[in-house]
């Protein structure tokens, strides 16, 4: 089992940057695909970014390509989401998830463990 805790969210102006962190405990994340999802009010949870077990492959939603970057440090049991050039549409609760397996997945149904989320609010 893995426990995940997100941090780093907050209020930022459009065009600004934030870095989200996901701290894992209970079990190493080295054998898990990790991902970031987000959920805005009135909308379903959507895929943002994913990274495979060793960090060699990443995937992004089209809406965030070129602006957001996912990374991981298995030795520290941490996953990060660097967010740049933020837009008002990026406002959401951001969740960290862990999926069993070697290859990254984009479907939220493939993720077994979730954090409680961290709020990101981007003001225009």
């Amino acid at each position: 089992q893995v426990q995940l805790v997100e941090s780093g969210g907050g209020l930022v102006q459009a065009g600004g940057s934030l870095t989200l962190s996901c701290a894992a405990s209970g079990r190493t994340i080295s054998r898990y695909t990790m991902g970031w999802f987000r959920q805005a009010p009135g909308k379903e949870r959507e895929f943002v970014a994913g990274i495979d077990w060793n960090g060699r492959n990443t995937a992004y939603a089209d809406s965030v390509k070129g602006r957001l970057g996912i990374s991981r440090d298995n030795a520290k049991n941490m996953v990060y989401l660097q967010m740049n050039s933020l837009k008002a549409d990026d406002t959401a609760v951001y969740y960290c998830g862990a999926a069993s397996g070697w290859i990254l997945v984009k479907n939220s149904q493939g993720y077994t463990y979730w954090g409680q989320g961290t709020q990101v609010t981007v003001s225009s």
Side-chain angles (χ1 to χ4, degrees):
Q1 292 185 310
V2 179
Q3 293 80 47
L4 305 173
V5 179
E6 303 94 338
S7 63
L11 176 64
V12 63
Q13 294 228 315
S17 299
L18 284 174
T19 299
L20 306 184
S21 298
C22 174
S25 62
R27 189 179 181 88
T28 179
I29 63 170
S30 62
R31 296 290 183 91
Y32 289 87
T33 292
M34 303 298 295
W36 286 97
F37 291 74
R38 67 187 182 187
Q39 188 167 22
K43 300 179 66 177
E44 295 184 345
R45 189 171 300 187
E46 65 174 344
F47 172 80
V48 175
I51 188 166
D52 67 355
W53 73 277
N54 61 4
R56 294 181 180 177
N57 296 288
T58 59
Y60 298 93
D62 288 342
S63 60
V64 305
K65 287 181 179 178
R67 299 189 299 113
L68 276 61
I70 188 171
S71 61
R72 67 191 297 163
D73 187 336
N74 288 343
K76 297 181 179 179
N77 239 20
M78 296 287 291
V79 183
Y80 306 96
L81 184 67
Q82 176 65 49
M83 305 192 297
N84 302 312
S85 301
L86 285 165
K87 307 174 181 179
D89 288 346
D90 295 318
T91 296
V93 177
Y94 283 72
Y95 297 90
C96 176
S100 298
W102 301 101
I103 308 300
L104 67 88
V105 294
K106 300 179 181 179
N107 193 329
S108 63
Q109 295 181 5
Y111 287 78
T112 303
Y113 304 105
W114 296 95
Q116 295 300 306
T118 184
Q119 176 72 49
V120 173
T121 302
V122 184
S123 61
S124 302

